[in-house]
Amino acid sequence: MGLSEALGQRDTEALLPVTQAMELRKRNYYVERPLLNQEQLEELGCLTSATETHQWRTWFQCSYTRARALLLQHLPVLAWLPRYPVRDWLLGDLLAGLSVAIMQLPQGLAYALLAGLPPVFGLYSSFYPVFIYFLFGTSRHISVGTFAVMSVMVGSVTESLAPDEDFLQAENATVDEEARDAARVQLTATLSVLVGLFQVGLGLVHFGFVVTYLSEPLVRGYTTAASIQVFVSQLKYVFGLQLSSRSGPLSLIYTVLEVCWKLPQSVVGTVVTALVAGVVLVLVKLLNDKLQRHLPLPLPGELLTLIGATGISYGVGLKHRFGVDVVGNIPAGLVPPVAPSPQLFASLVGYAFTIAVVGFAIAISLGKIFALRHGYRVDSNQELVALGLSNLVGGFFRCFPVSCSMSRSLVQESTGGNTQVAGAVSSLFILIIIVKLGELFQDLPKAVLAAVIIVNLKGMLKQFTDICSLWKANRVDLLIWLVTFVATILLNLDLGLAVAVVFSLLLVVFRTQLPRYSVLGQVPDTDIYRDVAEYSEAREVPGVKIFRSSATMYFANAELYSDALKQRCGVDVDHLISRKKKLVKKQEQKLKRLKKFQKQTATSKDTSVSIEVNSSTRDMESNNMEDSKAEGEGSAMSCRDGGAHACPERKATDLPAVSTGNELEDMAASGQEGAKAPDVTTLKALGLPQPHFHSLVLDLGALSFVDTVCLKSLKNIFRDFREIEVEVYMAACHTPVVAQLEAGHFFDASITKQHLFASVHDAVLFALQHPRSSPASPVLMTKL
């Protein structure tokens, strides 16, 4: 079947009814088609160039429809709130919002201590950002607010830039807590504004894909290490110790050593309070798990523990009688907005970018999980904007950076939450506590808040089981997990994340630099080609070498690709080309001497010319054969009369000398000044070993893009293998790659699209029927 016949059959099928056409295609499933190179494939498939679109042209178009679409895109609440099904969803959202607020209260107080701030600022961070996300967020189930990982990252910043040592009073060497807290509040508020600016800016430029560089093993390893940081940071509240403020590399190790050193100084009342609170919280959580099916709402263990501990502390007087440290003054009411301090921007910009990326990664990960579970879509760029506005606005009201909490999000979903109305309800409940009820928790022991934090770390500490699962599933991901964990533990949260991201990217580069290279063979009676090292029945096609890489070829691995190709072919290509060039150079020198002798024949006697030429030629041939023997390939050269090799009973140095001598005598006698030496530039004529294959097929199906280094490497492969009399073909290139080859001027007079075939099988068939032939040979018919 020719190309015209194939086109005709396709047109005939187009005219048939749909059912008949489908039956015809079923019958013709095993088709007979022509062998196709790239030019013929483009002609048969009617390749059309895609129209180039300029997205920037639509940015300046103004219309009512476009303005409304932009408004709904950046303010999603206007899209879903008017269509809110009150009867179906309102009750569930109210219950979910109340449940989340009950958890938000103790966690807000506790995580503020984790950030190194007075507890009331945790309540502020649980109100303003949550309400802003209600307006701009696209996820219906995540609970925005204080989070342990974010709080400990903020705490590392406050302890680094505003340590206790900077606020020691000279008269009694005690810390001026009021001045320290004021400095830290200004520091965290400015940090929150910077984090919000980074997130909003990245969202507006559609930089939401930055989170793709944080793989799941990296995030889980990082949060596991952060949970260890959180746990260690709460030990001073559990034992009632006064520890030095540390930050930077190895600060966690030094803190653990200091806790161990000061354990004899622990306050017994604080330790007992923390243990009792922890046991109560664990028992309530176990009870919730047992009665999960029978309870409409989980028991608010944290809230009940806080209320009970506050009442006991107030009635018994834990602070005065047993020295238990309590929360202290909690001012009632909201605070007015305060502008950030621009003087702190330079010292906070690095921390802000790290916190912005980590906070977004945690939020978008949970958002996509719930969206996939409930069948809706989360816009990563709008999520960046929403989270950024939450932090930006919250920074003006003295909030610290926030993200979303996994535990609260699960509660919001499991208790019937359907939209962010649940978040709005929880923020209003927190507002009531800030305005009226916050001062009731002044006698709450800090040890109870530490117990709340430690018990809530159970979920993140369970991620240590990832080590076993990743060991079985993917050890490269396990390596990323372990490096992230160790780097974060030793270098702190900011440097640990940077090391983890760099290591992950380098590992990707390393894996593309060292892909799997394969020599392919044909599976018997098929057009399928597989690695001969993996498939025992796959056989290499005689005379054709097929090579494939499992990764794309670019500047980082192009040289490795060429080296692996030459190594797998079983021929020392570079050495063979070098020897060929040396012998060809000697042949050229021989030709020059021949012309010189021809000129001498005009003035000298015939006999003297014959002797001189014969002697000179014998010397040259002797030198040539000595060089060939030194390289390990000494063999008899081809005879002038067409013999394949010299006779073994003759000396190898005699035949060429006699032949060349006779040739020079004949040329000198005839007086032909323009005569040329015989063509002895082929490997066989030069006495060099020939490759055991005549064609090389490069399977480029894994090639996703090409750069200039890739283009040069491919051209060098064509040049080198043609030097050793092997024709090179390419197969299975994708259309974008072909377009890039054309744009890079890869195709020329020596390399055309006729060297590029639709499949490996097409290239193999062409190579078998046309060994060392022109690509313009007639196309063969083959049944695939």
Side-chain angles (χ1 to χ4, degrees):
M1 181 187 300
L3 286 177
S4 59
E5 295 178 2
L7 292 173
Q9 181 179 357
R10 188 186 63 182
D11 295 338
T12 302
E13 291 182 4
L15 297 176
L16 295 175
V18 177
T19 55
Q20 294 182 13
M22 292 178 62
E23 291 295 331
L24 182 60
R25 289 175 184 173
K26 289 180 181 179
R27 292 196 300 269
N28 294 338
Y29 185 78
Y30 296 100
V31 297
E32 184 176 296
R33 68 166 178 84
L35 186 154
L36 297 175
N37 59 32
Q38 184 63 29
E39 286 184 347
Q40 296 162 343
L41 177 62
E42 293 176 0
E43 178 185 355
L44 180 63
C46 299
L47 177 67
T48 58
S49 58
T51 58
E52 186 177 2
T53 59
H54 299 282
Q55 183 67 30
W56 59 269
R57 292 180 178 176
T58 62
W59 295 349
F60 304 101
Q61 296 177 357
C62 297
S63 65
Y64 170 78
T65 304
R66 177 169 171 76
R68 184 176 181 274
L70 286 176
L71 180 63
L72 296 180
Q73 178 184 354
H74 295 292
L75 198 60
V77 67
L78 297 179
W80 61 265
L81 190 58
R83 302 194 303 268
Y84 182 79
V86 178
R87 293 184 178 180
D88 297 332
W89 287 1
L90 182 59
L91 180 60
D93 283 338
L94 288 176
L95 294 176
L98 181 61
S99 302
V100 170
I102 291 173
M103 294 183 64
Q104 190 90 270
L105 171 62
Q107 290 184 2
L109 296 172
Y111 293 156
L113 291 180
L114 196 59
L117 302 173
V120 69
F121 293 96
L123 297 180
Y124 298 154
S125 301
S126 301
F127 167 64
Y128 293 103
V130 177
F131 190 75
I132 297 298
Y133 186 83
F134 162 75
L135 299 175
F136 296 95
T138 60
S139 176
R140 289 162 27 190
H141 293 89
I142 65 173
S143 175
V144 173
T146 57
F147 183 52
V149 174
M150 298 289 289
S151 300
V152 76
M153 294 182 74
V154 174
S156 66
V157 176
T158 56
E159 291 184 359
S160 174
L161 300 182
D164 292 340
E165 289 78 6
D166 292 350
F167 301 94
L168 292 176
Q169 297 177 345
E171 53 273 10
N172 54 7
T174 58
V175 178
D176 186 356
E177 295 185 358
E178 185 176 353
R180 181 200 63 186
D181 292 343
R184 289 184 174 181
V185 167
Q186 186 182 29
L187 194 68
T188 54
T190 305
L191 178 64
S192 183
V193 170
L194 273 179
V195 169
L197 288 175
F198 272 122
Q199 290 175 335
V200 171
L202 293 176
L204 291 178
V205 298
H206 289 202
F207 207 65
F209 69 89
V210 69
V211 75
T212 59
Y213 293 103
L214 303 178
S215 63
E216 183 180 1
L218 188 149
V219 172
R220 292 178 69 88
Y222 184 79
T223 53
T224 306
S227 66
I228 301 297
Q229 296 265 12
V230 172
F231 178 81
V232 173
S233 67
Q234 296 306 295
L235 292 179
K236 62 180 180 181
Y237 297 113
V238 172
F239 296 103
L241 302 175
Q242 295 293 330
L243 302 179
S244 303
S245 298
R246 302 181 185 276
S247 61
L250 299 180
S251 59
L252 182 70
I253 307 300
Y254 292 134
T255 301
V256 172
L257 294 177
E258 187 177 2
V259 169
C260 296
W261 180 261
K262 293 185 176 181
L263 273 181
Q265 304 175 16
S266 300
V267 179
V268 177
T270 302
V271 176
V272 173
T273 302
L275 287 176
V276 172
V279 170
V280 171
L281 289 170
V282 171
L283 291 178
V284 173
K285 287 185 178 294
L286 292 176
L287 189 61
N288 281 330
D289 294 337
K290 292 288 185 180
L291 304 178
Q292 183 178 5
R293 298 180 180 178
H294 307 286
L295 294 175
L297 294 175
L299 296 176
E302 290 89 351
L303 182 61
L304 294 177
T305 304
L306 259 63
I307 294 174
T310 304
I312 294 173
S313 175
Y314 177 78
V316 178
L318 293 180
K319 179 178 180 181
H320 303 290
R321 295 180 59 184
F322 300 100
V324 177
D325 195 11
V326 297
V327 169
N329 181 40
I330 298 180
L334 298 175
V335 294
V338 178
S341 177
Q343 293 82 5
L344 298 174
F345 283 176
S347 57
L348 291 175
V349 63
Y351 298 106
F353 184 78
T354 303
I355 294 174
V357 173
V358 173
F360 172 64
I362 295 170
I364 196 63
S365 300
L366 286 176
K368 288 185 175 181
I369 290 174
F370 290 116
L372 184 63
R373 185 179 301 175
H374 294 275
Y376 63 92
R377 182 177 177 273
V378 172
D379 187 349
S380 59
N381 294 309
Q382 181 59 28
E383 283 295 295
L384 257 178
V385 174
L387 198 61
L389 288 174
S390 300
N391 285 313
L392 180 62
V393 175
F396 286 97
F397 290 93
R398 304 182 187 181
C399 302
F400 56 86
V402 298
S403 183
C404 74
S405 168
M406 181 182 299
S407 59
R408 293 198 307 270
S409 300
L410 291 173
V411 169
Q412 180 170 325
E413 182 209 23
S414 61
T415 53
N418 296 291
T419 63
Q420 283 300 325
V421 170
V425 171
S426 68
S427 65
L428 292 177
F429 186 81
I430 295 297
L431 176 62
I432 296 173
I433 294 175
I434 293 173
V435 175
K436 294 295 183 182
L437 305 178
E439 57 186 0
L440 298 179
F441 294 97
Q442 292 182 359
D443 292 313
L444 176 64
K446 291 183 179 180
V448 176
L449 295 178
V452 171
I453 293 173
I454 292 175
V455 171
N456 283 325
L457 293 177
K458 180 186 69 173
M460 286 191 288
L461 292 176
K462 280 184 176 180
Q463 293 177 158
F464 277 110
T465 58
D466 291 350
I467 297 177
C468 297
S469 59
L470 290 176
W471 175 265
K472 299 176 181 177
N474 192 319
R475 296 184 183 180
V476 175
D477 286 344
L478 174 62
L479 183 62
I480 294 175
W481 196 100
L482 292 175
V483 169
T484 303
F485 179 82
V486 173
T488 306
I489 290 293
L490 297 180
L491 302 178
N492 219 340
L493 293 170
D494 48 357
L495 293 178
L497 179 63
V499 170
V501 172
V502 171
F503 177 78
S504 181
L505 295 179
L506 287 178
L507 197 59
V508 172
V509 174
F510 179 77
R511 295 173 76 176
T512 58
Q513 277 189 309
L514 297 177
R516 181 178 181 84
Y517 297 111
S518 307
V519 173
L520 306 185
Q522 184 185 27
V523 178
D525 301 325
T526 68
D527 61 346
I528 299 174
Y529 296 84
R530 291 294 182 264
D531 189 353
V532 295
E534 296 177 351
Y535 291 79
S536 58
E537 291 298 321
R539 295 289 183 268
E540 290 191 49
V541 180
V544 180
K545 187 71 69 173
I546 311 170
F547 184 78
R548 181 178 65 190
S549 171
S550 62
T552 189
M553 181 168 57
Y554 66 113
F555 68 92
N557 64 1
E559 185 177 356
L560 298 175
Y561 180 94
S562 300
D563 294 341
L565 170 62
K566 294 175 182 178
Q567 181 182 3
R568 294 297 182 90
C569 285
V571 178
D572 194 342
V573 178
D574 296 331
H575 182 62
L576 191 58
I577 293 175
S578 176
R579 294 174 57 192
K580 178 181 177 180
K581 288 181 178 180
K582 289 181 180 179
L583 294 177
V584 169
K585 185 177 180 180
K586 290 184 177 181
Q587 294 292 341
E588 292 175 352
Q589 293 176 354
K590 189 187 304 182
L591 180 60
K592 291 180 181 179
R593 293 184 182 183
L594 174 63
K595 292 181 179 180
K596 180 179 178 181
F597 289 135
Q598 287 178 346
K599 292 180 181 179
Q600 291 178 356
T601 56
T603 56
S604 61
K605 296 181 180 180
D606 293 341
T607 55
S608 61
V609 170
S610 176
I611 296 173
E612 187 176 354
V613 170
N614 200 22
S615 176
S616 176
T617 306
R618 182 174 289 106
D619 293 338
M620 286 188 294
E621 293 300 326
S622 177
N623 292 334
N624 189 10
M625 295 308 297
E626 288 176 0
D627 291 340
S628 179
K629 287 181 179 180
E631 293 174 353
E633 298 291 338
S635 60
M637 298 184 66
S638 301
C639 297
R640 185 183 180 189
D641 55 0
H645 295 282
C647 298
E649 56 270 10
R650 296 185 180 181
K651 291 185 178 180
T653 56
D654 292 344
L655 287 176
V658 173
S659 175
T660 307
N662 294 334
E663 178 184 344
L664 293 178
E665 289 177 358
D666 294 340
M667 288 184 179
S670 61
Q672 297 178 357
E673 296 182 358
K676 295 182 179 180
D679 184 13
V680 289
T681 58
T682 62
L683 295 177
K684 182 177 181 181
L686 292 173
L688 296 177
Q690 294 177 276
H692 58 281
F693 56 96
H694 54 75
S695 299
L696 171 66
V697 176
L698 302 178
D699 183 359
L700 302 181
L703 210 62
S704 58
F705 67 93
V706 292
D707 55 11
T708 55
V709 178
C710 176
L711 293 176
K712 292 180 180 178
S713 297
L714 288 175
K715 283 197 171 186
N716 290 338
I717 290 172
F718 271 84
R719 181 200 63 200
D720 292 345
F721 278 89
R722 283 174 173 176
E723 281 287 330
I724 61 172
E725 303 169 9
V726 174
E727 187 57 56
V728 183
Y729 304 101
M730 301 183 297
C733 276
H734 301 293
T735 302
V737 175
V738 177
Q740 293 176 5
L741 291 174
E742 291 178 332
H745 304 288
F746 176 76
F747 298 110
D748 52 23
S750 61
I751 306 175
T752 66
K753 284 188 178 181
Q754 295 178 357
H755 289 90
L756 178 57
F757 289 87
S759 68
V760 174
H761 192 57
D762 290 332
V764 171
L765 287 176
F766 187 89
L768 288 175
Q769 299 298 328
H770 303 81
R772 294 290 296 162
S773 67
S774 171
S777 301
V779 178
L780 284 179
M781 299 298 301
T782 177
K783 186 173 182 179
L784 298 180

